[in-house]
Amino acid sequence: MSALPIVTRWDGEAFRPIGRSQRECDDTRIVGEVYRLADVHDARSRASHNHFFAVVAEIWATLPDDLAERFQSQEALRKFALIKCGYATQIQQVGQSHAEAKRMAALAALVADEYVLCAVDRNVVTIWKAKSMQELHMGRREFQEVKDKVFGFLSDLVGASRSDVEKSDRED
C-alpha cells in the first residue's frame, strides 16, 4: 500500500476516493474489506519537520565542550529541550527517606527506555519523560508551538541569537 494518504470526499453517504486516490484504491484495495480512515488535515509539513530535526542535529554537533559532555546524542538534547519547555509527562514517587528517593531516581534513569530527567527533593523523586513528537501525537499547531519554544530554549542554552539557531545548512 502507498505511504500517501487516500484523498476522499464525503458525499453524505460514504467517503469516496477522488483523483489519483481512486486509481490507488482500484490497484491496492479489496472490495468488501474494511479500511480505517485517518484525518490528516492537521498534519505538519515535511519541510518544517525536517527543519526542526536538522537544527537540533546541527546544534548538537556544534555544542561547546561543557555541553557536549552532557548530551551524548542529538536525541538526548532534543528530549532535554522538550522536557525543559514543558512537553513532558511527569510522575512523582515518595520514598521512605532521601537516600531511598536518590536510589529510586538512579534506578529510573538506568532502566528508562528513553531519555528521562530525574530530580530528588527530600524524599520525593520526580521523573520527566519527553512527550512523543510523532505526527499521530502532535499535529501542526502543537508542533509549531513546540518548535518555537525549543528553538528559543536552544538559543538560550548555546548563547546564540534565535535567527542563528534557526538557520541550518540542511534546511529544506
Side-chain angles (χ1 to χ4, degrees), residues 2 11 17 44 51 82 87 153:
S2 170
D11 68 7
R44 60 185 176 245
H51 177 239
L82 287 170
Y87 291 92
F153 174 81

Side-chain angles (χ1 to χ4, degrees), residues 38-118:
D39 194 356
V40 295
H41 71 276
D42 194 35
R44 60 185 176 245
S45 78
R46 182 59 40 200
S48 181
H49 174 92
N50 291 346
H51 177 239
F52 174 82
F53 284 92
V55 167
V56 172
E58 191 166 305
I59 289 172
W60 177 77
T62 59
L63 283 174
D65 290 341
D66 60 322
L67 290 173
E69 291 175 15
R70 205 166 147 197
F71 302 106
Q72 298 299 309
S73 68
Q74 64 190 39
E75 192 76 357
L77 176 63
R78 179 181 67 84
K79 290 181 178 184
F80 179 78
L82 287 170
I83 291 167
K84 289 299 191 177
C85 291
Y87 291 92
T89 56
Q90 174 187 314
I91 58 170
Q92 290 186 313
Q93 187 67 39
V94 178
Q96 295 292 326
S97 65
H98 179 72
E100 183 183 28
K102 286 174 67 174
R103 284 191 299 274
M104 290 174 6
L107 182 61
L110 183 65
V111 299
D113 291 339
E114 299 180 24
Y115 181 89
V116 296
L117 190 60
C118 301

Side-chain angles (χ1 to χ4, degrees), residues 19 23 39 152 166:
R23 293 184 298 282
D39 194 356
E166 290 185 28

Side-chain angles (χ1 to χ4, degrees), residues 87-172:
Y87 291 92
T89 56
Q90 174 187 314
I91 58 170
Q92 290 186 313
Q93 187 67 39
V94 178
Q96 295 292 326
S97 65
H98 179 72
E100 183 183 28
K102 286 174 67 174
R103 284 191 299 274
M104 290 174 6
L107 182 61
L110 183 65
V111 299
D113 291 339
E114 299 180 24
Y115 181 89
V116 296
L117 190 60
C118 301
V120 176
D121 182 22
R122 297 189 188 118
N123 65 329
V124 178
V125 61
T126 304
I127 303 165
W128 295 272
K129 180 180 176 187
K131 289 184 179 177
S132 173
M133 293 186 74
Q134 291 180 345
E135 287 190 60
L136 289 173
H137 303 286
M138 188 179 289
R140 175 187 7 220
R141 277 184 231 100
E142 186 178 12
F143 179 78
Q144 190 59 50
E145 180 182 300
V146 170
K147 184 177 174 180
D148 291 342
K149 287 183 179 179
V150 167
F151 284 0
F153 174 81
L154 292 175
S155 67
D156 290 344
L157 182 71
V158 298
S161 73
R162 173 75 184 258
S163 61
D164 285 345
V165 163
E166 290 185 28
K167 292 178 186 172
S168 170
D169 293 337
R170 291 170 263 174
E171 183 175 348
D172 296 50

